Amino acid sequence: MHSTNLLLEEPIRMASILEPSKTSFFPAMTKIVGTLGPKSRSVDTISSCLKAGMSVARFDFSWGDAAYHQETLENLKLAIKSTKKLCAVMLDTVGPELQVVNKSETPISLEENGTVVLTPHQGQEATSTLLPINFSGLAKAVTPGATIFVGQYLFTGSETTSVWLEVSEVKGDDVVCIIKNTATLAGSLFTLHCSQIHIDLPTLSHEDKDVIKKWGAPNKIDFLSLSYTRHAEDVRQAREYLSKLGDLSQTQIFAKIENVEGLNHFDEILAEADGIILSRGNLGIDLPPEKVFLFQKSALHKCNMAGKPAVVTRVVDSMTDNLRPTRAEATDVANAVLDGSDAILLGAETLRGLYPVETISTVGRICAEAEKVFNQDLYYKRTVKYVGEPMTHLESIASSAVRAAIKVKASVIICFTSSGRAARLIAKYRPNMPVLSVVIPRLKTNQLRWSFTGAFEARQSLIVRGLFPMLADPRHPAESTSATNESVLKVALDHGKASGVIKSHDRVVVCQKVGDSSVVKIIELDD
């Protein structure tokens, strides 16, 4: 018995490395979140992104106004119609982001060993010796020796477009800094980041609330990405705000962990949020770079065990300008998948990158390769052990369905669900075949009008690894007979066959509720 427990249990045959990557109806089990922006907002480009594998569209409110994003969203809706591919919508808040405003937009050159003053007096012009910032409390927050980063694309780690400062003294409201590297800051807005320092600003700013109310609510957003989440309380307050808006009571909140403060409260945040986004760009500035991988591994493991989606960012920065990722980036994407990430989030790469569609398909191909060698067996055992005994009814059904599917080498698991919870639990055990969740909308009434539930649940599973939703025909709460279940099952099987996931003589595991009990059954398909 070897004491080293290798991640890849069975040796990988070198021959398999040379086999061409197979394509199927879904590029990969791992999902891809694409940020829509200047280079990716036409109906044509969005359609290509959807076909390439994007299943969640992220709208980043750090730039662009509501009207601009609304136009992009209308184009997304047209693209969804024409490609018949579901896509969820994520609104990303600005949060307490510190900014330097460069009104004249003239490039600012900073020289190593020179000094520059950060001032809260925003009326002043930005120059190579003075940078006006949008936060009056900086002088109170920092002490000499503190590290501050300023840059346009700060979080890509590009050294030529960002500058690293060391605080030398605090004069009243002003902070005097020594410049540590020569750089040119171009553009109208730079981000400012203070390493490991508490910034006393609300996580949901007044502007954020306004955007959520005026843009998020009318558009019934599926996900709210909460920037700079630092405490569980941040998530609770955001949830309270969403439920006040009525239309957004079903919106899921994904906490973005971007600094040491969020990392220190990770467990409480995870308990409160619906999912986690590991913002590695910011974390890489707040943490020493050599610590980021460790946090990624432990955070993803915690999300996996809690059965909550985990999203990793900043993976193929070089594809913003190039058609191919670096070897390190390709390896990094694969490792994020092996570490257990549900989705990969593309920011600059699709927002302002030259190759948004190619980036999505490249990331999808890398994910698919990593999924082939993902150690499902070890993962399954670990999850079952973590859940412990006695299991809840739903948990035992979900784990049994996955176990059965693996034992009979099923090509797909079909799960009937109305809340989406059963399907998410099955996906939590990371089966190595896709889970088709057939979301059966329920007709419900609040005395005034009838409405269908189900669309939210279907779209929200688009960020979970291995989960592929189908919306069945709505039905009345009264009619849940076995005959209707059979007909819905037939539709699901036909869908699977048409998309090439199910072939004749395949085995399929079906998980459904019959009356009050849940049933897992195995069906073998004849021709």
Side-chain angles (χ1 to χ4, degrees), residues 294-447:
L294 203 55
F295 174 61
Q296 173 175 316
K297 284 183 183 306
S298 84
L300 289 179
H301 175 67
K302 286 177 169 180
C303 291
N304 291 167
M305 293 304 116
K308 291 186 176 182
V311 183
V312 170
T313 67
R314 290 251 77 90
V315 288
V316 285
D317 286 321
S318 70
M319 285 195 78
T320 307
D321 311 300
N322 303 305
L323 204 42
R324 290 179 62 164
T326 65
R327 312 332 166 237
E329 287 171 331
T331 304
D332 179 43
V333 173
N335 278 322
V337 173
L338 296 176
D339 286 347
S341 115
D342 281 83
I344 300 287
L345 187 151
L346 302 171
E349 303 99 326
T350 54
L351 173 117
R352 58 182 171 83
L354 305 178
Y355 307 104
V357 182
E358 292 82 351
T359 303
I360 292 169
S361 53
T362 301
V363 168
R365 280 200 305 277
I366 300 168
C367 290
E369 286 297 322
E371 288 156 11
K372 281 188 202 166
V373 296
F374 180 74
N375 188 340
Q376 205 286 328
D377 192 44
L378 185 72
Y379 181 91
Y380 183 87
K381 286 177 182 148
R382 230 174 36 186
T383 312
V384 168
K385 192 176 165 189
Y386 176 86
V387 170
E389 289 171 2
M391 274 188 174
T392 62
H393 179 79
L394 217 53
E395 194 94 46
S396 78
I397 292 286
S399 55
S400 308
V402 174
R403 194 184 151 83
I406 290 165
K407 292 275 185 243
V408 304
K409 294 201 163 30
S411 54
V412 67
I413 298 174
I414 295 177
C415 174
F416 289 81
T417 174
S418 54
S419 70
R421 210 171 118 231
R424 276 202 306 276
L425 268 183
I426 291 177
K428 168 180 157 180
Y429 288 89
R430 293 276 191 265
N432 38 18
M433 66 289 294
V435 180
L436 289 187
S437 72
V438 183
V439 181
I440 305 200
R442 297 277 176 217
L443 199 52
K444 60 171 197 181
T445 174
N446 60 0
Q447 267 61 57

Side-chain angles (χ1 to χ4, degrees), residues 380-525:
Y380 183 87
K381 286 177 182 148
R382 230 174 36 186
T383 312
V384 168
K385 192 176 165 189
Y386 176 86
V387 170
E389 289 171 2
M391 274 188 174
T392 62
H393 179 79
L394 217 53
E395 194 94 46
S396 78
I397 292 286
S399 55
S400 308
V402 174
R403 194 184 151 83
I406 290 165
K407 292 275 185 243
V408 304
K409 294 201 163 30
S411 54
V412 67
I413 298 174
I414 295 177
C415 174
F416 289 81
T417 174
S418 54
S419 70
R421 210 171 118 231
R424 276 202 306 276
L425 268 183
I426 291 177
K428 168 180 157 180
Y429 288 89
R430 293 276 191 265
N432 38 18
M433 66 289 294
V435 180
L436 289 187
S437 72
V438 183
V439 181
I440 305 200
R442 297 277 176 217
L443 199 52
K444 60 171 197 181
T445 174
N446 60 0
Q447 267 61 57
L448 294 170
R449 60 188 177 140
W450 288 90
S451 64
F452 290 116
T453 63
F456 261 112
E457 289 77 4
R459 288 193 306 265
Q460 283 167 343
S461 58
L462 290 167
I463 204 162
V464 180
R465 191 200 290 193
L467 200 47
F468 299 91
M470 286 174 55
L471 214 50
D473 285 335
R475 54 170 71 173
H476 208 277
E479 49 159 312
S480 179
T481 61
S482 54
T484 52
N485 276 344
E486 285 309 310
S487 65
V488 175
L489 177 58
K490 190 182 173 322
V491 172
L493 291 171
D494 289 345
H495 175 74
K497 285 177 195 158
S499 52
V501 208
I502 306 173
K503 290 177 280 306
S504 53
H505 302 299
D506 272 0
R507 289 168 176 178
V508 171
V509 168
V510 182
C511 182
Q512 66 190 117
K513 255 192 142 96
V514 176
D516 288 336
S517 52
S518 306
V519 179
V520 173
K521 60 181 181 183
I522 300 164
I523 37 185
E524 198 145 345
L525 301 175

Side-chain angles (χ1 to χ4, degrees), residues 12-32:
I12 299 169
R13 300 190 339 277
M14 276 301 170
S16 75
I17 294 172
L18 302 175
E19 283 167 13
S21 314
K22 286 201 293 289
T23 55
S24 64
F25 99 102
F26 53 95
M29 306 271 262
T30 306
K31 303 303 174 71
I32 297 173

Side-chain angles (χ1 to χ4, degrees), residues 275-293:
I276 296 283
I277 296 175
L278 299 183
S279 189
R280 300 193 307 176
N282 287 20
L283 275 167
I285 291 181
D286 224 37
L287 282 174
E290 67 274 18
K291 299 278 192 191
V292 177
F293 87 96

